[in-house]
Amino acid sequence: MRYIIIVCISLLLFSCGNNEEEDHAHDPEGNHLSTGVPAISKTVWTDQTELFVEFPALVEGKTSKFATHFTVLDKHQPVREGSLTVSLIKGESGIRHTAEAPSSPGIFSPALQPKEPGTYDLVFDLKTPEYSDRIVMNDVQVYASAAEASKNVIAGEEAGISFLKEQAWRIDFQTKPVTKGEVYDIVHTSGVWQAAPGTYKTLAAGANGMVNFVLENLTEGTEVKIGQLLMNLSSEGLSSNNIQAEIAQAKARYDQAKAEYERKKELYEDRIVPKSEFERVESDFRVAEANYRALASNYGADGKQIRSPFDGFIKSINTSNGDYVEQGANLVTIGTDKSRLLKTQLSASHNPSKESIANVWYKNENGEWKEVESAGGSVISVGREVENQKPMIPIYIKVNEAIEMPEGSFVEVQIALGDAETGIIVPEAALLEDYGNYSVIVQTGGESFERRSIKIGKRNGKSVQVLSGLEAGEVVVTTGVYQVKMASMSGQTPGHGHEH
């Protein structure tokens, strides 16, 4: 007899531990709710929030405890701070209960006890330090008895692939709604980064002299600020082409010409000297002044100063510390990464023109596709002819954002040509590929997913056209796709004990 009792208990424990998705909810401690009424689970998305809620069907006079899971869609993280008010409203009256804080990250546990049966609006008002959101579920039924609820409530959502909220919150996970968008004919090619016109400047020697570096570590790639002193040109000790002596001579000529100009001006105003003589003196004075100021500009105690014209970096250095250089010699080139020129090429068979190129995407240093148009860039020119040795047509694209990739490095490029078509699109990151067949993970409920085969069409940088298998408004997984896929392949459904 004892053996039979032990076997029966073991069978009962085994059956409880191996049930798949059932028609029940859970309390904040992760236990099954033994309410005698069927459970209801709902998932609602807003622009900011995903709500997944489980609760026993509402019955007159019975308390229903809600397990509400709130996820901030940006970065798919649980709501960690804030309050939740759940209200049951009919006409102008209703009941409400406020949970002042989550019982655990992402989970609030309010409860309601309806007073009379009928059709109500169930309202969830979420308030966090960052934002507020309101979710309304219309036509929620309150039943007169548990028996009536059991008779009328349809079984909860099928599990498919079960992936709990706590699992998703612990990993990099993200979902996106399926939308309609424009798709183009895409040409895959490559390009090379070049310096855009105006993003670099070569500084030349303004006088003869010896080069003295001010910065100890003046090397290619060194960051510099606008107006920063880089080097001095000193002519001290030189018997000829001495800038200091030239400045002194220019100053003497300037002072002499100025004095003569001021004297002649008074005489001219008193009509003692003719106009022609005054104009000659004035001309000599202006030339002497310009010559002196040009020689004296950027001249300090250590000689002629070479300063950075803008914020940037040292692109190249054409001299060495201690070298003697003559006036006009190139010393250093300053560059900036605030914009770049992307040179790519297309076959003449595409008949490309500036007007026919709708958009361009390139892969950045992180391997992510970037849209040129969204970065404030544009196509600036398209070649008009080909040569025997160069059968490709060059295309130059200005990109108005900092590019971390070195100048001269190659990059993958996609070019959209022609007129756009409107179609269903999903992020490229959502795709799963098996031997040329494509599928996505569709979120059918808060913790339920399914893998669905799709047929794809054109690709638009980060987006892919879906020809069949998806409808606008459905939600697909874009980050964490393979984790959900592995959950589907494990052959096991995670237990229902939420870590609340």
Side-chain angles (χ1 to χ4, degrees):
M1 183 68 179
R2 225 169 128 191
Y3 175 79
I4 295 173
I5 292 172
I6 292 172
V7 170
C8 290
I9 292 172
S10 299
L11 288 172
L12 285 171
L13 290 172
F14 179 81
S15 64
C16 287
N18 285 273
N19 279 343
E20 295 190 355
E21 198 69 34
E22 291 181 356
D23 196 16
H24 53 229
H26 312 88
D27 66 12
E29 287 70 44
N31 303 312
H32 298 311
L33 291 172
S34 301
T35 62
V37 297
I40 295 173
S41 61
K42 298 280 188 182
T43 306
V44 181
W45 290 271
T46 70
D47 292 340
Q48 304 176 90
T49 313
E50 176 198 301
L51 166 62
F52 168 55
V53 59
E54 298 174 298
F55 60 97
L58 302 176
V59 177
E60 177 187 5
K62 286 186 175 290
T63 299
S64 289
K65 188 173 288 187
F66 294 77
T68 58
H69 307 66
F70 278 96
T71 303
V72 182
L73 291 181
D74 182 27
K75 296 186 170 59
H76 208 88
Q77 287 296 299
V79 171
R80 301 182 186 277
E81 296 181 76
S83 64
L84 172 68
T85 299
V86 59
S87 307
L88 192 62
I89 302 172
K90 184 178 183 180
E92 299 298 325
S93 61
I95 57 175
R96 65 173 53 89
H97 180 215
T98 299
E100 297 295 343
S103 55
S104 63
I107 301 172
F108 295 84
S109 307
L112 292 175
Q113 187 181 55
K115 303 301 182 184
E116 59 181 42
T119 302
Y120 293 78
D121 288 337
L122 187 59
V123 182
F124 299 84
D125 286 301
L126 175 68
K127 292 184 179 179
T128 75
E130 290 76 29
Y131 73 99
S132 298
D133 209 349
R134 165 172 274 211
I135 297 172
V136 180
M137 296 181 183
N138 301 115
D139 301 327
V140 174
Q141 192 69 34
V142 175
Y143 298 96
S145 65
E148 183 184 353
S150 298
K151 180 180 178 181
N152 289 279
V153 172
I154 300 174
E157 58 193 30
E158 293 296 328
I161 304 169
S162 181
F163 200 74
L164 303 183
K165 302 309 298 181
E166 290 85 354
Q167 290 176 278
W169 290 337
R170 281 196 294 263
I171 65 173
D172 286 336
F173 195 83
Q174 190 68 59
T175 60
K176 292 287 184 183
V178 179
T179 60
K180 287 188 175 182
E182 292 184 338
V183 289
Y184 296 85
D185 287 320
I186 300 295
V187 178
H188 296 262
T189 182
S190 63
V192 62
W193 289 115
Q194 298 181 350
T199 61
Y200 64 91
K201 185 175 182 179
T202 298
L203 307 181
N208 302 329
M210 306 292 293
V211 177
N212 295 317
F213 287 4
V214 174
L215 296 179
E216 291 183 2
N217 298 317
L218 190 64
T219 57
E220 292 183 6
T222 301
E223 292 188 5
V224 293
K225 299 294 184 181
I226 184 171
Q228 183 176 355
L229 181 61
L230 306 179
M231 57 184 70
N232 289 308
L233 292 178
S234 174
S235 58
E236 185 178 359
L238 297 179
S239 58
S240 62
N241 297 323
N242 190 309
I243 183 63
Q244 189 173 1
E246 290 180 12
I247 292 174
Q249 292 173 2
K251 179 67 164 58
R253 286 193 293 268
Y254 164 66
D255 290 340
Q256 183 180 5
K258 183 178 180 181
E260 180 69 8
Y261 165 74
E262 291 174 349
R263 187 174 68 84
K264 292 291 184 181
K265 184 178 180 181
E266 291 180 1
L267 295 175
Y268 172 69
E269 289 172 351
D270 292 337
R271 298 185 178 182
I272 297 175
V273 298
K275 181 179 180 181
S276 58
E277 184 176 346
F278 170 69
E279 289 178 344
R280 178 183 58 77
V281 171
E282 182 182 27
S283 176
D284 292 341
F285 164 64
R286 299 300 180 195
V287 171
E289 180 183 35
N291 185 46
Y292 166 66
R293 297 197 185 284
L295 287 171
S297 65
N298 292 324
Y299 188 84
D302 296 321
K304 199 76 168 178
Q305 298 173 336
I306 306 299
R307 297 180 178 273
S308 174
F310 47 72
D311 293 344
F313 62 93
I314 302 297
K315 182 177 172 66
S316 63
I317 301 175
N318 304 314
T319 186
S320 298
N321 196 24
D323 281 356
Y324 171 80
V325 295
E326 294 186 351
Q327 183 176 356
N330 292 339
L331 300 176
V332 61
T333 300
I334 311 296
T336 177
D337 281 333
K338 290 184 178 179
S339 66
R340 281 281 186 88
L341 201 63
L342 176 59
K343 179 185 177 182
T344 185
Q345 299 180 103
L346 280 182
S347 169
S349 62
H350 293 293
N351 193 26
S353 66
K354 193 174 178 180
E355 294 73 24
S356 68
I357 298 176
N359 211 336
V360 179
W361 294 265
Y362 64 89
K363 268 194 177 180
N364 64 10
E365 62 278 2
N366 298 320
E368 301 171 340
W369 286 106
K370 295 283 290 184
E371 185 182 22
V372 167
E373 191 174 289
S374 65
S378 61
V379 178
I380 59 174
S381 67
V382 177
R384 297 182 178 275
E385 60 182 23
V386 296
E387 302 175 8
N388 290 335
Q389 302 300 321
K390 298 178 180 179
M392 306 291 280
I393 293 180
I395 299 171
Y396 292 90
I397 301 135
K398 181 79 173 293
V399 178
N400 291 323
E401 67 175 7
I403 302 297
E404 299 297 332
M405 300 176 71
E407 184 181 333
S409 58
F410 286 88
V411 61
E412 291 184 57
V413 177
Q414 293 183 4
I415 300 178
L417 294 172
D419 297 325
E421 297 177 10
T422 300
I424 300 292
I425 59 173
V426 296
E428 191 174 59
L431 291 184
L432 286 167
E433 182 180 4
D434 290 313
Y435 303 105
N437 298 314
Y438 293 92
S439 60
V440 293
I441 301 295
V442 180
Q443 185 176 7
T444 56
E447 296 179 331
S448 58
F449 300 80
E450 70 175 29
R451 185 173 178 180
R452 192 180 303 172
S453 295
I454 62 172
K455 184 179 179 181
I456 69 170
K458 302 171 182 177
R459 298 193 181 210
N460 260 13
K462 290 184 177 180
S463 302
V464 179
Q465 180 187 22
V466 178
L467 302 177
S468 63
L470 284 176
E471 297 292 335
E474 293 187 285
V475 176
V476 296
V477 179
T478 58
T479 304
V481 177
Y482 283 93
Q483 285 86 339
V484 181
K485 177 185 175 183
M486 294 305 295
S488 71
M489 297 170 63
S490 66
Q492 297 179 354
T493 302
H496 273 294
H498 292 289
E499 298 174 8
H500 296 174

